[in-house]
Amino acid sequence: MFIVEETIAGTKAAQIPKQRGESLLETAVRYAEERHWDVFPGTWLEAVDGSQQCSCGDAACPAPGSHPARPDWATQATGSATVARRMWQKQPTASILLPTGRTFDAISVPETAGFLALARMERMELTLGPVTLTPDRRMEFFVLPGAAVKIPDLVRKLGWSLSSLDLAVLGEGAYVAAPPTRFGSRGAVQWACRPTPANRWLPDAEELISPLAYACGRDR
């Protein structure tokens, strides 16, 4: 079973967390090897004058240590465990980023709406894929690729306009940060629903959009 856990020492909140017994390198390799997800290394955190800053050098970086390190990141992403290992060996503390629009898309909603939707999905006995919880209080639901094209029409059929909901779809040309990537001192990305053998097959966006749109409508 693929279970990723993180432990964060309370007195070292700015430190990049480790999996229990696993390095960032080993975790990135496992994502590629066991889930067949493309991965690529992003920026990382560096100690500067006693504080942790993004390796990009921007002191006001909005996503410190958790964004692409180079403009051609899409061509850098790999599904090869061997290549992933080689990339993280060069920079072992680099964040783990996953391009969307390939093996999965991601539906991003506010944390409050996400937890409401999760409770509703459980009552509906829906099968979920992995779901991340980010330090900027967003939840990202992994679904089959193609969601970015389908969602606007699906939302309209439910009686909503996409612009009226705080709901975004990450497809081709976008990416998500994977656990245990850290957003500076704000904390680390965590799994709200972990990758397991049971959720290896992802749901279609159509299966999840009703509870997600409902929850986002309630959360406005």
Side-chain angles (χ1 to χ4, degrees):
M1 180 179 294
F2 189 156
I3 298 177
V4 177
E5 297 187 55
E6 61 155 347
T7 54
I8 307 173
T11 57
K12 298 181 180 179
Q15 195 172 30
I16 295 177
K18 304 291 186 184
Q19 272 75 27
R20 197 168 290 172
E22 284 194 341
S23 65
L24 286 161
L25 181 155
E26 290 168 334
T27 303
V29 168
R30 283 169 67 86
Y31 287 150
E33 196 167 56
E34 298 190 13
R35 298 300 293 201
H36 304 294
W37 290 338
D38 283 4
V39 298
F40 68 97
T43 53
W44 56 92
L45 296 175
E46 297 178 332
V48 178
D49 296 328
S51 65
Q52 295 285 332
Q53 293 189 13
C54 186
S55 61
C56 73
D58 181 0
C61 178
S66 57
H67 64 86
R70 43 195 277 186
D72 63 341
W73 61 265
T75 61
Q76 184 190 24
T78 180
S80 164
T82 301
V83 175
R85 182 177 298 279
R86 192 158 56 238
M87 289 194 294
W88 265 271
Q89 283 174 339
K90 293 178 181 177
Q91 183 46 253
T93 57
S95 54
I96 302 173
L97 305 180
L98 313 175
T100 50
R102 301 188 183 188
T103 51
F104 66 88
D105 281 1
I107 304 174
S108 174
V109 300
E111 176 186 306
T112 49
F115 280 118
L116 177 62
L118 282 176
R120 192 174 178 86
M121 290 171 186
E122 184 175 349
R123 291 195 298 272
M124 296 168 70
E125 298 184 346
L126 294 179
T127 301
L128 287 175
V131 182
T132 62
L133 176 62
T134 71
D136 54 1
R137 303 181 69 83
R138 304 287 297 183
M139 292 180 76
E140 293 164 344
F141 290 72
F142 289 22
V143 295
L144 289 172
V149 176
K150 295 179 179 180
I151 290 291
D153 188 50
L154 291 172
V155 169
R156 278 193 297 270
K157 288 180 178 178
L158 291 169
W160 302 94
S161 67
L162 195 57
S163 61
S164 70
L165 301 177
D166 188 1
L167 182 152
V169 189
L170 304 172
E172 187 175 357
Y175 62 90
V176 297
T181 296
R182 176 169 286 278
F183 284 40
S185 60
R186 282 177 276 170
V189 184
Q190 302 176 58
W191 290 115
C193 291
R194 300 178 184 279
T196 69
N199 63 20
R200 180 175 296 278
W201 303 107
L202 299 177
D204 190 276
E206 193 167 359
E207 300 173 57
L208 305 187
I209 193 58
S210 178
L212 285 172
Y214 170 81
C216 288
R218 286 277 304 271
D219 195 50
R220 289 188 304 172

